[in-house]
């Protein structure tokens, strides 16, 4: 095998990413090791994906057992792991029907296509508007990126699909004013993830549900990032006291194995009748076997209790660092999806703090240019949270020091 380094990336890969200078080669729980054997505490979770950490024995067992049996049959035939996983999702949520795919964008693509087809077939071609919110993120296909509310992701990709409007988030009056009988769906993230870790208020969530009911529009919850135990309940909608019509998820569902799902009711599922939508790999036996093992764990009350406890620990630790060093403000978010907005002096440079943390042996994320994001494994231990916070404190001390020296 030829030797590969970070420099190889620039030689052979499309430059749409700018990966970190290190290359991880092994993971265990919430620790990672790079090519040089350096160890890192993982507060990033592969962007809210590795919900059970790295190399969890139940995931490894599910994958290797299925790998020796059957990898792929296509949707010309169904398979046992897909049926078992769908049964579990139906038992654990509002949903009565499940569509499997391979990513969050594909889950949303399916949801938006369902909404359009529902509007068209049940009401008429006028009912086609999809409402979403500023700073929303729903994926990178042309349809999903257009529904997303961050213009920087659509620039240069015009012409964009039409029939989409964006509104301010957490503003029920703006939504009420925009609602009319052309709206087929409203889509929202319970906590805007990529958009800066911005939670919906419960009040807003209930107002959105009521407005969708009033105007006969579907409520689509994008739980690609917030789902699968991330916020302390299996899905975040449970905490708002409302039920969506369609829910999409991915990321944590496979714990690191690619899979996405769209969940809905029996009546809405009928809109996607035979032949109307599909995916070669959707419901792949390997992905579904792993996801079933993950779902068993993330629906376990003991694990959800750990999310609440580690969330409180991490939030308290961050707030201490916030008060002591002033690099970032108090944390916000739900469960183990937390964000800390950087201070004025660091505006636009959250990434610099992430880079400094990596050099100190801690993997963090940004959510946009101004927010530090924390999305560790849901089974992260108290000791790993403490160690990560200790490393972050060293980063804060080093980055704050020049300013204090200048003030002295
Ligand atoms: C990550 C994300 C997506 C896109 O998921 P992919 O698997 O990257 O396609 C969609 N919606 C939300 C809320 C996300 O966080």
């Amino acid at each position: 095998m030829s030797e590969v380094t970070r420099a190889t990336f620039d030689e052979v890969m499309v430059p749409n990413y700018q990966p970190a200078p290190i290359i991880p080669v092994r993971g265990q729980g919430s620790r990672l090791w790079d090519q040089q054997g350096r160890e890192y505490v993982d507060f990033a979770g592969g962007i809210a994906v590795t919900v059970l950490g790295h190399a969890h024995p139940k995931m490894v067992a599910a994958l290797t057992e299925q790998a020796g049996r059957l990898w792929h049959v296509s949707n010309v035939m169904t398979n046992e792991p897909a049926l078992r996983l769908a049964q579990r999702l139906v038992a654990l949520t509002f949903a009565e029907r499940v569509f499997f795919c391979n990513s969050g964008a594909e889950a949303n693509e399916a949801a938006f296509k369902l909404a359009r087809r529902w509007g068209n077939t049940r009401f008429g071609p006028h009912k086609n508007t999809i409402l979403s919110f500023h700073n929303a993120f729903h994926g990178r296909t042309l349809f999903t990126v257009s529904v997303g509310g961050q213009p920087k992701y659509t620039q240069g990709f015009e012409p964009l699909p039409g029939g989409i409007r964006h509104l301010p988030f957490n503003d029920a009056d703006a939504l009420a004013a925009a609602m009319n009988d052309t709206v087929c769906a409203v889509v929202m993230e319970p906590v805007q993830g990529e958009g800066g870790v911005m939670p919906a208020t419960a009040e807003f969530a209930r107002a959105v549900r009521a407005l969708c009911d009033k105007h006969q529009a579907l409520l689509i919850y994008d739980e690609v990032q917030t789902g699968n135990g991330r916020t302390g309940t299996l899905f975040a909608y449970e905490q708002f006291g409302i039920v969506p019509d369609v829910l999409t998820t991915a990321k944590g569902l496979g714990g690191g194995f690619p899979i996405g799902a769209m969940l809905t009711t029996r009546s809405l599922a009928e809109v996607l009748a035979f032949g109307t939508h599909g995916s070669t790999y959707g419901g792949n036996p390997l992905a579904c076997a792993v996801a079933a093992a993950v779902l068993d764990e993330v629906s376990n009350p003991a694990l959800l209790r750990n999310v609440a406890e580690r969330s409180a620990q991490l939030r308290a630790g961050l707030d201490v660092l916030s008060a002591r060093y002033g690099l970032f403000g108090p944390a916000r978010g739900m469960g183990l999806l937390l964000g800390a907005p950087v201070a004025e002096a660091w505006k636009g440079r959250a990434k610099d703090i992430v880079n400094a943390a990596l050099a100190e042996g801690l993997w963090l994320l940004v959510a946009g240019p101004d927010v530090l994001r924390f999305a560790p494994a849901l089974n992260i231990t108290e000791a790993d949270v403490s160690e990560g916070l200790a490393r972050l404190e060293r980063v804060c001390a080093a980055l704050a020091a020049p300013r204090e020296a200048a003030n002295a």
Side-chain angles (χ1 to χ4, degrees):
M1 269 195 289
S2 69
E3 200 185 324
V4 290
T5 66
R6 173 61 180 79
T8 315
F9 182 94
D10 298 331
E11 292 161 15
V12 298
M13 302 282 268
V14 170
N16 62 313
Y17 304 114
Q18 251 173 27
I22 60 133
I23 299 183
V25 294
R26 188 167 68 83
Q28 188 67 54
S30 286
R31 304 283 173 133
L32 283 168
W33 288 266
D34 70 13
Q35 287 178 314
Q36 280 69 44
R38 273 203 71 200
E39 172 261 341
Y40 301 82
V41 172
D42 183 0
F43 274 7
I47 316 191
V49 166
T50 51
V51 282
L52 300 182
H54 303 282
H56 190 285
K58 291 199 176 150
M59 293 198 310
V60 174
L63 180 63
T64 48
E65 211 227 309
Q66 188 59 41
R69 282 176 185 275
L70 186 68
W71 284 28
H72 179 81
V73 291
S74 89
N75 287 298
V76 171
M77 297 189 184
T78 189
N79 67 80
E80 291 182 353
L83 296 174
R84 291 201 184 98
L85 177 62
Q87 265 181 340
R88 289 294 291 149
L89 286 167
V90 165
L92 291 166
T93 68
F94 76 95
E96 298 161 323
R97 293 291 184 271
V98 180
F99 169 79
F100 287 123
C101 50
N102 314 288
S103 67
E106 283 176 70
N108 284 326
E109 186 83 19
F112 302 157
K113 284 181 71 178
L114 185 156
R116 281 280 175 80
R117 205 158 194 284
W118 176 77
N120 260 300
T121 57
R122 304 256 170 109
F123 297 85
H126 67 284
K127 198 169 179 73
N128 62 48
T129 306
I130 296 176
L131 297 181
S132 83
F133 299 100
H134 297 315
N135 292 320
F137 184 81
H138 300 301
R140 298 293 200 120
T141 64
L142 195 59
F143 194 3
T144 57
V145 85
S146 303
V147 174
Q150 302 191 56
K152 68 179 177 193
Y153 292 140
T154 50
Q155 271 156 19
F157 294 110
E158 299 83 359
L160 304 177
I164 299 163
R165 275 195 67 193
H166 300 98
L167 303 166
F169 191 54
N170 274 334
D171 184 341
D173 293 339
L175 181 62
M179 278 302 229
N180 58 50
D181 67 4
T182 74
V183 177
C184 65
V186 178
V187 55
M188 63 179 275
E189 297 159 87
V191 181
Q192 289 190 331
E194 303 304 307
V197 192
M198 196 52 85
T201 65
E203 186 187 22
F204 178 67
R206 285 193 289 269
V208 176
R209 177 69 273 181
L211 285 165
C212 285
D213 290 340
K214 184 173 165 197
H215 295 275
Q216 296 191 77
L218 300 184
L219 175 56
I220 302 173
Y221 259 43
D222 180 345
E223 296 228 30
V224 171
Q225 189 155 167
T226 55
N228 311 294
R230 173 65 47 194
T231 67
T233 48
L234 185 57
F235 290 100
Y237 76 84
E238 300 165 41
Q239 297 182 50
F240 293 148
I242 62 99
V243 175
D245 300 300
V246 180
L247 181 149
T248 57
T249 193
K251 289 202 168 91
L253 181 61
F257 201 99
I259 181 169
M262 178 188 69
L263 281 54
T264 189
T265 63
R266 190 167 77 173
S267 142
L268 288 172
E270 283 167 9
V271 171
L272 291 184
F274 176 64
T276 56
H277 191 56
S279 157
T280 296
Y281 283 124
N284 172 273
L286 294 170
C288 291
V290 175
V294 172
L295 191 57
D296 260 355
E297 293 296 304
V298 299
S299 58
N300 182 331
L303 186 76
L304 295 172
R305 225 169 14 253
N306 191 62
V307 173
E309 288 168 9
R310 300 288 76 76
S311 174
Q313 182 192 359
L314 181 54
R315 200 186 270 251
L318 291 173
D319 289 351
V320 167
L321 298 183
S322 160
R324 195 172 287 162
Y325 300 99
L327 254 59
F328 48 81
R332 62 188 181 219
M334 287 168 79
L336 283 175
L337 178 57
L338 296 178
V342 296
E344 202 54 44
W346 287 87
K347 274 269 151 64
R349 294 195 292 139
K351 187 80 200 191
D352 292 352
I353 301 176
V354 167
N355 291 340
L358 199 63
E360 198 60 61
L362 174 65
W363 188 22
L364 302 179
L365 297 169
V366 296
D370 301 329
V371 177
L372 297 176
R373 175 169 37 158
F374 305 82
L378 307 185
N379 62 355
I380 191 169
T381 61
E382 184 176 3
D384 281 345
V385 170
S386 295
E387 178 58 24
L389 283 167
R391 293 181 191 187
L392 185 57
E393 170 143 32
R394 291 203 286 277
V395 175
C396 291
L399 293 177
R403 203 187 47 179
E404 277 170 18
N407 291 345

